[in-house]
Amino acid sequence: MNLVEQLSKELSILHLNDFEKVRYIYLRCCEIFSFDSRVYFTDLFDDTQLRNRILRKRFNIENITDKRVVCHSFSRYILKPLIENLTNLKCNVVKDREGHSYIILEYMNKEWILDATNRDLARVKLSLPTRGFTSCVEKEDLIIPEIDSSLGFTNKSVDDYQSLIIGDDYTEMIRSMGTILKNSNAKYYYSDASFLMEEVLGISNFSTNNETYVDSNYNFRRLINARNEYSFFELSKEENEKEYSIKKIKRIDYDVLKKYLKHKK
């Protein structure tokens, strides 16, 4: 994928100032890229080689072959060069004391923080309001919903999603969460699917098990034990599948997966 060419074509039919272009680029990149969950689990396998490869990965915005990013790669090799190629605004990559990277954008003598890997990669896919694109001044930030509306990016709320959870018991409500996932754009990568299930739908209120499990090939699973109902599910994507989904499983399969897969303590 040539991201410069693609976004340039999209922007060419819009009449935007440079700041509006930056917002458009930010939103589109959140739609396209997803956080690489593997980086949080490499320590379970003492896999420093993969961890270093993820943290040091470079992207060519004219030839995107992988849509998994972390804060360093996204800020330095995707968002910054896109802004510089497609607008006349200045921006810099900043790394804080905790090692987290994000963009500082200068516009109208003000600084804006652009921090998409602080869950905005998932929020935008779900049409939820962003939190990582901010001037840190509430009055200034009021311009963002107006721009989004003009761009055709409509915002939903957590309540909108939770209102879709239906059923007379936990088992049926978990099934309905599977339908919500299936109908969303968060179903392709674990970081997005997990965000939807936990941060938006609150699945921990329905399950006694809230751990992420992973095998040595970094196939992720969330094992779900419906409260007091002897009903078991998994959020997973098999190697031959393109999407994460919620599947009902037998108790014995649940126990085997729980026993042999690794998870964060």
Side-chain angles (χ1 to χ4, degrees):
M1 175 195 302
N2 187 327
L3 204 50
V4 177
E5 184 178 277
Q6 179 175 326
L7 293 186
S8 179
K9 286 181 179 178
E10 293 175 13
L11 288 169
S12 68
I13 61 175
L14 302 173
H15 302 287
L16 308 176
N17 63 35
D18 275 342
F19 186 73
E20 292 168 336
K21 287 180 180 179
V22 170
R23 179 61 177 175
Y24 184 87
I25 293 166
Y26 183 89
L27 293 171
R28 287 291 287 119
C29 285
C30 287
E31 290 180 334
I32 293 167
F33 294 95
S34 295
F35 190 83
D36 193 341
S37 299
R38 297 176 300 171
V39 72
Y40 287 144
F41 295 87
T42 53
D43 59 317
L44 293 177
F45 306 100
D46 295 321
D47 196 350
T48 55
Q49 184 177 8
L50 177 61
R51 177 177 175 81
N52 290 336
R53 190 161 70 243
I54 292 171
L55 294 178
R56 297 170 184 171
K57 183 174 177 61
R58 298 188 176 199
F59 286 80
N60 177 359
I61 55 174
E62 294 183 351
N63 184 27
I64 297 296
T65 58
D66 189 351
K67 296 180 180 179
R68 294 170 296 182
V69 297
V70 293
C71 62
H72 314 300
S73 56
F74 183 80
S75 298
R76 185 172 300 279
Y77 300 114
I78 296 172
L79 192 56
K80 184 179 191 297
L82 282 174
I83 291 172
E84 292 175 342
N85 271 273
L86 299 173
T87 80
N88 295 309
L89 298 182
K90 296 179 180 180
C91 64
N92 293 294
V93 178
V94 175
K95 182 178 287 189
D96 63 23
R97 293 180 180 178
E98 297 179 354
H100 178 64
S101 297
Y102 54 91
I103 295 288
I104 293 290
L105 175 79
E106 297 179 20
Y107 178 66
M108 300 288 287
N109 298 318
K110 295 183 177 63
E111 289 188 345
W112 287 77
I113 294 174
L114 279 62
D115 187 5
T117 54
N118 187 20
R119 303 300 187 95
D120 275 358
L121 295 176
R123 290 190 186 98
V124 171
K125 293 180 182 69
L126 296 168
S127 297
L128 295 171
T130 61
R131 296 181 183 178
F133 193 115
T134 178
S135 67
C136 298
V137 178
E138 185 175 356
K139 183 178 179 181
E140 298 291 337
D141 285 359
L142 292 176
I143 192 176
I144 297 304
E146 296 177 8
I147 294 174
D148 289 356
S149 179
S150 68
L151 293 175
F153 287 94
T154 57
N155 286 333
K156 295 183 180 179
S157 69
V158 169
D159 288 342
D160 290 333
Y161 280 98
Q162 292 186 351
S163 69
L164 299 175
I165 302 174
I166 58 174
D168 296 325
D169 54 34
Y170 288 134
T171 297
E172 289 305 312
M173 286 188 279
I174 291 170
R175 287 185 189 276
S176 75
M177 291 183 193
T179 301
I180 296 169
L181 174 63
K182 182 179 180 179
N183 293 331
S184 79
N185 291 320
K187 59 189 174 185
Y188 301 105
Y189 292 94
Y190 185 76
S191 57
D192 302 323
S194 180
F195 178 83
L196 171 60
M197 301 308 297
E198 179 57 42
E199 303 296 330
V200 179
L201 299 180
I203 197 169
S204 58
N205 297 318
F206 303 82
S207 172
T208 57
N209 186 358
N210 299 301
E211 304 287 350
T212 290
Y213 293 80
V214 61
D215 64 23
S216 59
N217 292 320
Y218 296 94
N219 295 309
F220 293 100
R221 280 180 167 82
R222 179 154 188 156
L223 300 182
I224 303 165
N225 182 353
R227 292 180 180 272
N228 305 316
E229 293 180 9
Y230 205 77
S231 184
F232 305 92
F233 299 84
E234 66 171 359
L235 168 67
S236 64
K237 179 174 70 172
E238 302 303 330
E239 292 184 4
N240 62 338
E241 296 176 338
K242 295 181 179 180
E243 304 171 0
Y244 278 90
S245 61
I246 291 182
K247 309 172 184 71
K248 198 170 190 304
I249 59 176
K250 297 177 181 179
R251 171 62 186 267
I252 189 172
D253 295 327
Y254 173 89
D255 289 339
V256 168
L257 289 170
K258 188 176 179 181
K259 181 176 181 180
Y260 291 104
L261 294 180
K262 292 194 175 186
H263 66 96
K264 287 285 190 179
K265 302 290 185 180

